[in-house]
Amino acid sequence: MIPEKVPKEDVFHGSEELKKEAHIPSFEKYKELYLKSIENPDEFWGDIAKDFFWKTKHSGPFLEYNFDVTKGEIFTKFMEGASTNICYNLLDRNVHERKLGDKVAFYWEGNEPGDELTVTYRELLQRVCQFANVLKSQGVKKGDRVSIYMPMVVELVVAMLACVRIGAVHSIVFAGFSAESLCERILDSECSLLITADGFYRGDKLINLKLIADEALQKCRDKGFPIQKCILLKHLSKEAEETPLGSQSPPAKRSCPDLQQEKQTGRAKKTRPVPQVPWNPKVDLCWHALVRGASDECEPEWCNSEDPLFILYTSGSTGKPKGVLHTISGYMLYTATTFKLVFDHQPDDVYWCTADIGWITGHSYITYGPLANGATSVLFEGLPTYPDVSRMWEIVDKYHVSKFYTAPTAIRLLMKYGKEPVHKYKRESLKVLGTVGEPINPEAWHWYYNVVGEKRCPIVDTFWQTETGGHVLTPLPAATPMKPGSATFPFFGVVPAILNESGEELEGPSEGYLVFKQPWPGVMRTVYGNKQRFETVYFKKFPGYYVTGDGCRRDEDGYYWITGRIDDMLNVSGHLLSTAEVESALVEHEAVAEAAVVGRPHPVKGESLYCFVTLTDGLTFNRTLEADLKRQVREKIGAIATPDFIQNAPGLPKTRSGKIMRRVLRKIACDERDLGDISTLADSSVVDQLFQNRCCPNV
């Protein structure tokens, strides 16, 4: 499971200074606690639970579960009988019991340098209570689902914590997703209300969020599910800019629909237009007007341990996103513990996770994990390259960031510009560096370690998923020597195994399917509204195990290395995309008869989308059609899914049974001629034609 000792050669060690203050200072201590977490989980998690507030204590074992579909329904129950409120533990406990009311919860850094805001724990608690009362006044109650479609602003955190304070279930949709994607998620989770904003800037690009939200709501109405209420935050307007977070009242003369104006931003006070935002008085409600008279006191709704906390959608191999459901107590303890130990959080740290809250990383390691520990975090709205490629390191110095968590995609992007933009800033405050979203390639790891961290900051290369809730394979800064690109060892309570195709556990150095043998507190509980899909996707292939869908290699030293997705999923810039979902968007175009999508290595994004399309008889493939198809995918899914390459494919390589041989398409996309055995192809001449038609012959 874990080795008796770790290797001394070909590994990198944390600094001696870090080990002096670390929560887990050595591999021996890690091993001791890991064994305790497996052999005596009640005592291990019970000790951690003592740090949190419980309205009622649990009864019975800490953890009950069944992972074997042949023995009945799949379930995980954690701290059954206990009741609490996660918002109370994140805010009230820190303000009143831990006396952290004046401590900074968030340094908000806007898209433009100079746009900034500081929010304390006390201010955050007051605003959350205000907005919780707003939600209650709009009829939102315990168990209701609320859709949130917002940029990276403090009000996004306020909205999600206001939901959980009253026992409502938030469903956050990444603000880069299309109207179709937003509509699909609202329909699936049957949300009663939408919270959005007028718009935001990403670099120089204006995103008119309200227009997209209105289009999504119209699609919902067209499908027989009208959303009655939409709360609009004025983020780009002067009213929102002139109203400090702690103020209860915006300027009385300005009405919320009046959003056509100029916005002053940044150090140079650059003038930027704010678009005309449509206003439907039958549906739309103004955030600022609603909170104006709302009380800043709101009693929390006490919830059972296994009550739902949030739904977050992740791509599924069938093309239909899965609503991953997490519950309260287990998720709270697991994100709090992983944050504290993986980043070795100390009281004077300033932590910065560059992810978007629209993804699981932002849920677990911007909102829930850091706030549960009373941490101070940076909340960043912008891009790593705007207004220049030194922006991230400028922010690190500005706020004295000590723990920094980003994606390999961002590291590879910044690598292209060399050392100089990094060396413009000191970065002396940095102590721990982290990566998330995909395995980091060794070249990027070394650049991150040598250039950004100057060989003194350990790198925690974390492996986890939306479904796992938190880190499951990860180094610990002072305890586990690092191998560049390895996810290292399991976190506490996590028991990994590697299986072959027959479902047999492999021992020693081996490669196969990565699975987990038992649950940990933060694991997902179900797919919302579809228990059968939950069991089929994660437990049916290998009864008795949670199946990650990832391949994995264990080396001779016991280190785990993630080798990539086994199913039809792509990892683009750290975000999972379903090939089926992209294919579905392509074939909706009247010109496309059939489509197949594969991944192709990309030096920055990790993987890029390479699409093969077979056109309807009589039509010709041209640049105009290619642009139309890319636009269609953007509109159906979002900009992140825009194909990099679209190739005309008069025929696709299929077996005699009609199955497309995707491994052959991957070889064609990469211009690799060693195809292996293709004797089962119905027509092998198709392959030669596809090689000739490659749309990027020199790439």
Side-chain angles (χ1 to χ4, degrees):
M1 199 179 305
I2 56 174
E4 287 298 314
K5 57 184 179 179
V6 293
K8 298 190 184 303
E9 304 298 325
D10 302 320
V11 294
F12 294 77
H13 299 266
S15 68
E16 290 303 316
E17 180 183 352
L18 189 72
K19 291 183 179 184
K20 293 176 185 176
E21 63 176 16
H23 296 294
I24 303 178
S26 66
F27 181 75
E28 289 70 27
K29 185 64 175 177
Y30 159 72
K31 188 167 68 170
E32 173 193 330
L33 288 174
Y34 179 78
L35 293 175
K36 178 181 177 181
S37 75
I38 302 304
E39 296 168 359
N40 195 348
D42 287 21
E43 182 181 341
F44 181 85
W45 294 110
D47 288 344
I48 292 169
K50 291 174 185 175
D51 289 336
F52 294 84
F53 176 82
W54 306 96
K55 188 69 173 177
T56 59
K57 304 297 183 183
H58 79 285
S59 54
F62 255 71
L63 194 61
E64 294 181 278
Y65 73 98
N66 173 43
F67 268 15
D68 192 338
V69 290
T70 67
K71 295 180 180 178
E73 180 182 349
I74 299 296
F75 72 90
T76 298
K77 294 178 182 178
F78 184 76
M79 293 186 70
E80 189 92 300
S83 64
T84 190
N85 182 281
I86 195 167
C87 179
Y88 184 93
N89 277 287
L90 268 55
L91 299 181
D92 305 65
R93 181 177 63 101
N94 282 318
V95 171
H96 301 305
E97 297 174 25
R98 302 180 68 196
K99 308 302 180 186
L100 299 178
D102 294 328
K103 185 175 183 179
V104 173
F106 289 106
Y107 292 113
W108 179 76
E109 177 80 8
N111 180 63
E112 294 288 339
D115 280 358
E116 58 193 51
L117 188 69
T118 299
V119 185
T120 67
Y121 273 86
R122 181 174 290 106
E123 290 168 338
L124 187 57
L125 173 59
Q126 290 170 344
R127 284 304 300 267
V128 166
C129 286
Q130 276 187 310
F131 199 67
N133 285 323
V134 166
L135 293 177
K136 288 167 71 174
S137 74
Q138 298 304 316
V140 179
K141 58 187 184 302
K142 181 180 179 181
D144 287 351
R145 277 78 59 207
V146 174
S147 180
I148 303 176
Y149 185 58
M150 298 179 76
M152 284 287 285
V153 290
V154 174
E155 288 85 355
L156 171 52
V157 178
V158 169
M160 63 196 298
L161 294 184
C163 286
V164 301
R165 190 169 190 85
I166 64 173
V169 180
H170 60 72
S171 173
I172 299 177
V173 179
F174 171 56
F177 276 148
S178 67
E180 183 76 27
S181 294
L182 175 58
C183 168
E184 185 175 29
R185 286 154 174 78
I186 289 173
L187 292 176
D188 188 75
S189 54
E190 301 175 305
C191 292
S192 61
L193 181 143
L194 173 66
I195 306 169
T196 190
D198 48 4
F200 64 103
Y201 277 92
R202 291 278 284 173
D204 280 319
K205 184 179 181 182
L206 172 65
I207 310 295
N208 194 326
L209 212 56
K210 182 59 162 57
L211 279 179
I212 301 170
D214 280 356
E215 184 184 345
L217 293 184
Q218 183 58 51
K219 289 176 181 289
C220 290
R221 285 190 286 272
D222 293 344
K223 295 179 181 180
F225 190 83
I227 291 277
Q228 301 299 329
K229 295 171 183 175
C230 172
I231 297 177
L232 175 69
L233 172 77
K234 294 177 65 175
H235 175 50
L236 289 183
S237 69
K238 286 183 180 177
E239 174 180 40
E241 185 180 354
E242 292 168 1
T243 305
L245 189 76
S247 172
Q248 294 187 18
S249 178
K253 292 181 181 179
R254 198 179 301 280
S255 62
C256 208
D258 180 20
L259 299 173
Q260 180 69 38
Q261 51 189 286
E262 300 290 311
K263 183 182 179 184
Q264 301 288 327
T265 59
R267 292 170 182 159
K269 293 301 176 187
K270 186 187 298 182
T271 300
R272 284 200 162 153
V274 176
Q276 182 68 46
V277 176
W279 184 263
N280 181 353
K282 295 181 180 179
V283 175
D284 294 336
L285 301 164
C286 178
W287 175 298
H288 311 277
L290 290 171
V291 301
R292 192 174 301 161
S295 168
D296 60 6
E297 294 184 1
C298 178
E299 274 297 304
E301 181 77 29
W302 302 110
C303 302
N304 294 326
S305 277
E306 288 299 321
D307 281 348
L309 174 62
F310 66 81
I311 301 164
L312 184 59
Y313 286 84
T314 185
S315 294
S317 58
T318 63
K320 179 179 169 59
K322 305 186 292 283
V324 171
L325 179 72
H326 284 285
T327 54
I328 292 169
S329 295
Y331 178 85
M332 176 177 73
L333 292 195
Y334 199 71
T335 53
T337 307
T338 48
F339 175 81
K340 177 181 179 179
L341 300 182
V342 173
F343 299 108
D344 194 54
H345 172 68
Q346 304 294 336
D348 58 349
D349 277 336
V350 176
Y351 162 82
W352 181 19
C353 170
T354 67
D356 193 288
I357 290 177
W359 307 105
I360 188 62
T361 303
H363 281 56
S364 298
Y365 299 116
I366 294 179
T367 301
Y368 289 107
L371 292 177
N373 283 277
T376 294
S377 298
V378 174
L379 185 67
F380 181 47
E381 182 188 29
L383 296 171
T385 55
Y386 180 84
D388 59 57
V389 297
S390 293
R391 183 71 187 278
M392 294 175 101
W393 321 122
E394 177 193 14
I395 293 171
V396 166
D397 278 9
K398 177 179 179 179
Y399 296 110
H400 306 289
V401 172
S402 52
K403 309 293 168 69
F404 180 69
Y405 195 34
T406 194
T409 300
I411 297 166
R412 289 191 293 265
L413 173 65
L414 296 173
M415 280 175 65
K416 295 195 306 181
Y417 301 99
K419 301 176 183 179
E420 186 178 344
V422 185
H423 288 164
K424 280 175 63 177
Y425 295 91
K426 295 180 179 179
R427 296 157 286 109
E428 292 173 345
S429 58
L430 288 174
K431 294 182 178 179
V432 174
L433 303 174
T435 64
V436 60
E438 59 184 305
I440 185 170
N441 54 303
E443 182 185 8
W445 192 100
H446 283 286
W447 189 86
Y448 198 30
Y449 182 77
N450 294 325
V451 177
V452 176
E454 296 181 331
K455 301 183 179 181
R456 57 183 172 77
C457 300
I459 294 176
V460 287
D461 177 11
T462 60
F463 170 76
W464 59 299
Q465 304 170 315
T466 303
E467 295 90 338
T468 70
H471 308 137
V472 285
L473 298 176
T474 177
L476 296 177
T480 48
M482 302 164 287
K483 290 189 178 187
S486 169
T488 315
F489 302 124
F491 191 73
F492 302 112
V494 177
V495 184
I498 296 178
L499 307 184
N500 63 17
E501 190 65 48
S502 302
E504 299 166 328
E505 284 194 31
L506 303 175
E507 301 296 332
S510 51
E511 185 168 348
Y513 292 87
L514 175 64
V515 299
F516 296 113
K517 301 172 72 170
Q518 65 185 47
W520 51 96
V523 72
M524 72 181 291
R525 298 308 195 251
T526 190
V527 170
Y528 181 77
N530 199 335
K531 185 77 172 181
Q532 182 179 355
R533 188 180 185 193
F534 170 63
E535 296 188 351
T536 299
V537 170
Y538 300 103
F539 298 96
K540 190 174 181 180
K541 184 176 181 66
F542 299 119
Y545 301 93
Y546 166 89
V547 181
T548 64
D550 283 288
C552 184
R553 176 174 63 86
R554 184 172 48 226
D555 68 18
E556 62 279 359
D557 295 317
Y559 283 62
Y560 289 85
W561 303 72
I562 304 302
T563 56
R565 299 296 296 178
I566 291 174
D567 51 20
D568 290 329
M569 304 292 291
L570 302 178
N571 195 319
V572 178
S573 296
H575 305 308
L576 281 185
L577 292 175
S578 160
T579 57
E581 194 174 6
V582 179
E583 289 165 2
S584 176
L586 288 168
V587 298
E588 283 188 33
H589 194 286
E590 60 184 5
V592 178
E594 192 172 20
V597 177
V598 296
R600 187 178 181 282
H602 188 281
V604 174
K605 296 191 293 185
E607 284 187 289
S608 59
L609 289 162
Y610 194 111
C611 308
F612 297 84
V613 294
T614 301
L615 302 185
T616 304
D617 284 349
L619 296 182
T620 304
F621 188 85
N622 54 42
R623 290 291 178 88
T624 302
L625 176 58
E626 182 180 8
D628 282 348
L629 293 175
K630 289 184 177 182
R631 182 168 57 252
Q632 173 135 328
V633 174
R634 274 198 304 273
E635 291 174 354
K636 290 290 180 182
I637 304 172
I640 198 167
T642 305
D644 295 82
F645 307 105
I646 301 180
Q647 176 176 335
N648 182 27
L652 292 170
K654 297 180 180 180
T655 64
R656 290 172 179 81
S657 64
K659 182 179 179 181
I660 297 172
M661 291 188 71
R662 294 177 186 276
R663 67 172 179 83
V664 172
L665 292 179
R666 292 187 191 98
K667 294 281 189 179
I668 294 167
C670 298
D671 199 22
E672 296 175 359
R673 303 283 170 159
D674 181 11
L675 301 178
D677 180 17
I678 56 171
S679 60
T680 57
L681 282 179
D683 180 6
S684 59
S685 66
V686 168
V687 175
D688 293 331
Q689 192 174 24
L690 290 175
F691 270 115
Q692 291 171 14
N693 287 356
R694 286 184 75 250
C695 54
C696 50
N698 298 319
V699 181

